[in-house]
Amino acid sequence: MTGTTLSPAAARLGLLGKLMAVVRPEFRAEEFAFDPADPVFGGGVCLVPSCERTARGQGLCTGHHDRWAAEGRPDLDSFAAATDSRWHKQQPLLCCRAPGCGRGVCRGGLCTRHAAAWQRAERPDLIAWLPAQPETQPPAGLVICLVGDCRLWVEKDIPFCRGHGATWKSNGRPDPEQFARGYAEIEVVPRNERVRLQGLSAQLKLEIQYALQRRSDERTVKVQPFVVMQVVRFLTSCPVTSLLDWPEEIWRQRIGRPAPKDSNPRALLIFARRQLEDLADVGGGWDTEYGRDIWRMHLLGFEGRRRLRFDQIPQPWLREPAKRWARWRISTGLCLEASRRAIAAIERFGQFLASATVNVTGLAEVNRPLLERYLADLQAEMGGSQRQGSHIGLLNSFFTAIRQHRWDETLPTTALFFVQDQPKRAERPPRALAEQVMAQVEHSGNLDRWGNDDYRLITVILIRCGLRISDALRLRFDCITSDADRAPYLRYFNHKMKREALVPIDEDLLRLIGQQRHRVADRWPSRPSGPAWLFPRPTKNVDGQAPISSSTYRLALYRWLQACDIRDEHGQPVHFTPHQWRHTLGTRMINRDVPQEVVRRILDHDSSQMTGHYARLHDTTVRRHWEAARKVNVAGQAVTLDPDGPLAEAAWAKQRLGRATQALANGYCGLPVQKTCPHANACLTCPMFITTPEFLPQHHSHRQQVVQIITAAEARGQTRLVEMNQQVLVNLDNIITSLTDDNTAEEAAADAG
């Protein structure tokens, strides 16, 4: 068995018995009339008072919705209160407008007789013509239409008025009494709201009944009866006795028009087939899935209907160890995405082996020379990217697992990669967003442009708490906890690390989450324990059991960025991923001197290696500002340090050590730390002294003190002391003048900009 195809005989073996056992009596009917309040097949009761039919559009049943549209779509509440609540069959037919006439209308608001007279008069204005007509007298032995609510005169030779008589004739002139009773016996559930399975074979009928039962039990997607009938009518024309007779791909091609048209009946049909396939294989687990080339992971305990495909690996002799490797990796607890990437690496390798220039026929031919050719092929396609390194590493792990578990003894010992085979990984650029961009993102006016409270709160949580998007969207409804000091924390499940985690939050975020809880509880009040998620999916989520998907939020995020017109420092529109907010938070905390271990705990990193990436970014930021700052010595001369020169790294390291071990109140020492300073406490006369504009206030204060010392020394006749401080005063004047001029020029340039 390969792909999604099962042998029909094998699939149906025992399926009928399973269906008979699981389909409940309430779903064994041949015709279904669902209650309007049914959460899956219903739609609520029509807004028009005393109308008991199912609402389908704008809160109205089909009949009243058509009447509302015909009247120009007025205000819904006013329309529902004023319109006739009776259904179409209950409403009286129009009467002729001629004086005294009680016949049914033929055309132009007139019966056949008066319409002909008006035509003979050459169709004058009706308003003026009607009052001039003689009043019509009722015929002798007047008989009223047999239909109970109709008060029109009968037509010649039939017991009905003109309109009801035409309907009676078109239905084959049934028994008049029985026909008239049909108007009195109005069905609350009309024909278009019913599901009828009489035209299906016994097996197909039971399979559709099971699909309806599964939809009802899951309570995730609404299904309208007319969509079910589209599927039923389609199946009656197909030469099959079971949905498993054809693979899923054939059903997708056969039903309806190409996607996305006719998507609802196609989705229901595919859902029904998948449910049957699961029922046929229920309890099979690995024994059933391992032999398939496409594994249905939901039958192996994974959420959703994700699949792991091996059908793109050309060689069966390579596909078998790939399956064993994937099963082993899954059993060790690796996530499905990790297994999917591993299979993709083997798939790429298999396609290389199957090429005409290689044409390898077994693992015994996979040796080091062949792998060197493969390395060149990878380099030509991927150009030393991170994906290339991932393919090499995964393939090497695959070879190691084959030898370790002895899955194939023919694999040569030379089939392996070395550390030197990995492409040199370029240093990844910072992913944190610039503060200019974050200022626009966090602006209250832009946040308010979300227009969706869920998405707005998700954005705030991602920015302030640094959660991964998958963790944020799967926050539980009761995600708030507090410590002994009543400080609030956001509790979430770290899906990457597979553990619970906490992050401290402020009172504002606590308030926003509390408001979200109230909104969700009001929308899904039926659950006694409250909804499962803080952010339930807004559609196709009858019970609120499904959270918002990451793809849904990402699309909304991109639309929001475009609507807010957020731009970078170059004026270009900004496009980023939600994960970059996590990098931004980490970088912000490091730049605010939050200890690295604290950052690691807040972001719930497994090790300090990733957190160290933010610390490296902080060091780069500080160095960039240090290189850009104007540095002068005691003579007021600029000190130039070439950031691109061969001594740049050494100069930066020395400067950092100097600041840490020889910090001065008004600058820092540029002397190599290995040397001894010959100018003890005389830095302002030292040629190694360096200072920057940030120390200007200290220089001004120091100059004032030196002037006072010189003045006092001159008064006392202490010439030596005057000489010593006079050089300090000259140097201070040089420094202040140079740094002040530089600051003034920068401010003027900024003002001009």
Side-chain angles (χ1 to χ4, degrees):
M1 296 180 288
T2 60
T4 57
T5 307
L6 290 175
S7 166
R12 288 201 303 269
L13 183 61
L15 177 59
L16 181 59
K18 292 180 179 179
L19 286 170
M20 295 293 291
V22 299
V23 178
R24 299 191 294 271
E26 62 267 28
F27 287 95
R28 291 287 185 88
E30 290 192 340
E31 184 169 335
F32 296 88
F34 298 102
D35 190 284
D38 190 290
V40 175
F41 302 102
V45 180
C46 180
L47 291 175
V48 177
S50 74
C51 178
E52 302 174 5
R53 287 186 171 174
T54 304
R56 288 302 178 190
Q58 303 295 325
L60 302 172
C61 67
T62 304
H64 285 122
H65 183 274
D66 292 344
R67 193 185 307 171
W68 171 73
E71 294 181 12
R73 301 175 180 268
D75 178 71
L76 274 175
D77 293 334
S78 302
F79 169 82
T83 192
D84 192 338
S85 62
R86 291 177 294 182
W87 301 323
H88 181 71
K89 289 176 68 174
Q90 295 175 314
Q91 291 180 339
L93 302 182
L94 294 178
C95 181
C96 179
R97 297 169 62 185
C101 185
R103 297 184 179 89
V105 167
C106 171
R107 65 179 183 274
L110 303 173
C111 66
T112 305
R113 183 176 178 182
H114 286 105
W118 179 64
Q119 186 72 28
R120 288 193 299 271
E122 297 182 352
R123 302 165 62 105
D125 180 65
L126 271 177
I127 302 299
W129 182 78
L130 283 173
Q133 299 306 305
E135 185 170 347
T136 304
Q137 298 299 317
L142 174 65
V143 178
I144 302 300
C145 180
L146 193 58
V147 174
D149 291 330
C150 184
R151 310 312 301 167
L152 299 179
W153 300 347
V154 299
E155 295 292 307
K156 185 179 179 181
D157 299 330
I158 63 173
F160 302 105
C161 66
R162 186 183 186 281
H164 290 125
T167 305
W168 175 67
K169 292 174 183 177
S170 66
N171 280 273
R173 299 174 181 264
D175 178 70
E177 296 289 341
Q178 183 178 357
F179 177 77
R181 283 197 300 271
Y183 281 88
E185 298 170 356
I186 300 295
E187 295 177 333
V188 174
V189 182
R191 186 176 179 84
N192 66 311
E193 289 289 341
R194 292 175 177 268
V195 172
R196 300 172 300 281
L197 308 179
Q198 291 88 343
L200 297 177
S201 64
Q203 175 86 8
L204 279 173
K205 185 185 302 180
L206 200 57
E207 291 176 356
I208 296 299
Q209 290 169 345
Y210 178 65
L212 296 179
Q213 177 177 300
R214 291 294 301 136
R215 275 292 191 217
S216 179
D217 292 346
E218 287 188 355
R219 298 166 67 91
T220 56
V221 178
K222 282 185 171 293
V223 181
Q224 296 193 30
F226 85 91
V227 174
V228 182
M229 287 307 302
Q230 285 181 288
V231 175
V232 171
R233 284 191 291 268
F234 167 71
L235 290 177
T236 56
S237 64
C238 295
V240 296
T241 57
S242 170
L243 295 179
L244 297 182
D245 286 349
W246 288 346
E248 183 175 311
E249 291 77 8
I250 298 298
W251 286 114
R252 287 185 180 277
Q253 297 168 7
R254 293 291 183 91
I255 183 169
R257 295 166 290 178
K261 297 178 179 179
D262 294 340
S263 59
N264 288 333
R266 182 183 295 109
L268 179 59
L269 180 60
I270 297 305
F271 169 81
R273 190 191 184 282
R274 288 180 175 180
Q275 294 298 315
L276 287 170
E277 199 173 43
D278 292 350
L279 181 64
D281 295 333
V282 65
W286 281 108
D287 293 337
T288 299
E289 292 305 306
Y290 186 84
R292 300 169 60 93
D293 286 344
I294 299 179
W295 290 353
R296 299 162 297 177
M297 303 309 295
H298 64 281
L299 297 179
L300 300 175
F302 287 84
E303 293 183 2
R305 298 194 67 90
R306 295 181 290 179
R307 300 190 173 197
L308 199 59
R309 304 181 66 102
F310 300 89
D311 55 335
Q312 300 301 312
I313 301 176
Q315 304 85 354
W317 50 266
L318 187 61
R319 193 181 310 144
E320 176 59 27
K323 287 184 177 182
R324 297 189 69 173
W325 189 45
R327 182 177 62 179
W328 174 68
R329 286 167 64 87
I330 290 172
S331 67
T332 62
L334 287 177
C335 66
L336 182 58
E337 185 58 33
S339 297
R340 185 175 288 116
R341 289 195 297 266
I343 299 306
I346 300 177
E347 179 184 317
R348 169 68 173 76
F349 183 60
Q351 292 171 354
F352 167 78
L353 298 181
S355 61
T357 57
V358 180
N359 195 24
V360 169
T361 59
L363 278 175
E365 302 176 38
V366 179
N367 51 29
R368 177 63 189 179
L370 178 69
L371 295 183
E372 291 175 359
R373 293 176 61 187
Y374 184 61
L375 287 172
D377 189 70
L378 277 179
Q379 173 66 25
E381 177 185 340
M382 302 180 183
S385 64
Q386 182 178 351
R387 190 162 66 98
Q388 177 182 342
S390 175
H391 275 247
I392 295 172
L394 288 169
L395 198 55
N396 210 32
S397 298
F398 176 54
F399 294 150
T400 301
I402 291 176
R403 298 189 188 95
Q404 180 181 359
H405 302 289
R406 298 183 177 180
W407 293 333
D408 192 323
E409 300 282 0
T410 65
L411 179 66
T413 57
T414 58
L416 76 163
F417 294 104
F418 300 102
V419 175
Q420 295 81 0
D421 295 329
Q422 287 278 358
K424 185 178 180 180
R425 299 185 65 173
E427 186 173 309
R428 298 177 63 185
R431 297 191 64 194
L433 298 173
E435 286 302 322
Q436 176 184 347
V437 173
M438 288 303 299
Q440 299 172 69
V441 168
E442 294 175 301
H443 191 276
S444 59
N446 282 335
L447 288 174
D448 291 340
R449 296 187 69 172
W450 265 113
N452 183 301
D453 294 326
D454 291 18
Y455 296 157
R456 187 188 193 280
L457 180 56
I458 292 169
T459 302
V460 173
I461 289 176
L462 292 174
I463 293 173
R464 298 186 187 178
C465 301
L467 271 63
R468 297 178 180 88
I469 182 63
S470 57
D471 297 339
L473 295 178
R474 288 182 169 268
L475 285 171
R476 305 297 298 185
F477 185 74
D478 55 345
C479 59
I480 298 298
T481 187
S482 57
D483 58 16
D485 297 327
R486 304 183 66 83
Y489 294 83
L490 185 68
R491 180 176 58 196
Y492 68 97
F493 186 77
N494 187 333
H495 289 82
K496 185 175 182 179
M497 301 303 170
K498 296 182 174 60
R499 64 191 180 204
E500 289 279 346
L502 297 171
V503 59
I505 60 175
D506 55 30
E507 295 296 329
D508 180 57
L509 186 53
L510 177 65
R511 176 183 58 81
L512 293 175
I513 292 176
Q515 293 174 354
Q516 174 69 8
R517 284 166 54 92
H518 285 298
R519 286 192 296 268
V520 174
D522 290 342
R523 182 171 179 181
W524 285 278
S526 58
R527 288 177 56 85
S529 59
W533 309 104
L534 185 63
F535 301 110
R537 190 170 64 192
T539 60
K540 297 183 179 180
N541 196 17
V542 177
D543 282 350
Q545 294 303 294
I548 295 175
S549 68
S550 61
S551 60
T552 300
Y553 174 76
R554 288 174 192 274
L555 290 175
L557 171 64
Y558 302 150
R559 290 194 298 268
W560 177 72
L561 290 175
Q562 186 176 10
C564 296
D565 194 28
I566 295 177
R567 296 179 178 269
D568 60 18
E569 64 272 18
H570 306 295
Q572 298 299 315
V574 172
H575 179 88
F576 56 82
T577 65
H579 194 74
Q580 287 181 259
W581 279 321
R582 180 174 174 86
H583 287 258
T584 302
L585 178 64
T587 303
R588 277 178 163 180
M589 288 189 291
I590 289 292
N591 284 337
R592 292 169 183 169
D593 295 325
V594 177
Q596 186 171 327
E597 176 61 18
V598 175
V599 177
R600 185 191 73 80
R601 290 181 178 273
I602 290 177
L603 298 180
D604 197 34
H605 285 147
D606 203 30
S607 68
S608 59
Q609 182 178 3
M610 185 59 205
T611 314
H613 179 66
Y614 303 122
R616 178 183 63 80
L617 295 179
H618 170 60
D619 185 74
T620 303
T621 303
V622 174
R623 175 175 175 174
R624 184 171 64 250
H625 289 297
W626 173 74
E627 290 171 348
R630 178 176 173 85
K631 296 171 281 293
V632 297
N633 58 21
V634 293
Q637 299 170 339
V639 178
T640 302
L641 296 173
D642 181 10
D644 298 323
L647 298 179
E649 288 294 333
W652 170 239
K654 176 175 72 68
Q655 189 278 144
R656 289 196 67 196
L657 185 58
R659 287 195 175 206
T661 60
Q662 304 178 72
L664 307 174
N666 51 359
Y668 58 91
C669 183
L671 184 72
V673 294
Q674 293 87 350
K675 292 189 176 182
T676 303
C677 176
H679 308 281
N681 298 319
C683 290
L684 282 172
T685 59
C686 174
M688 302 309 297
F689 177 77
I690 299 173
T691 188
T692 57
E694 62 184 300
F695 297 108
L696 269 173
Q698 291 92 323
H699 291 315
H700 282 290
S701 176
H702 191 186
R703 185 184 184 282
Q704 184 178 358
Q705 295 174 11
V706 171
V707 169
Q708 292 174 353
I709 292 174
I710 292 175
T711 302
E714 288 176 341
R716 292 193 297 268
Q718 297 173 323
T719 57
R720 177 59 182 160
L721 185 59
V722 171
E723 291 175 358
M724 290 176 58
N725 283 281
Q726 190 65 44
Q727 184 60 47
V728 173
L729 180 61
V730 171
N731 289 345
L732 276 171
D733 288 339
N734 291 336
I735 290 171
I736 292 172
T737 300
S738 180
L739 294 180
T740 302
D741 291 345
D742 185 63
N743 264 6
T744 303
E746 288 184 359
E747 292 172 0
D751 291 340

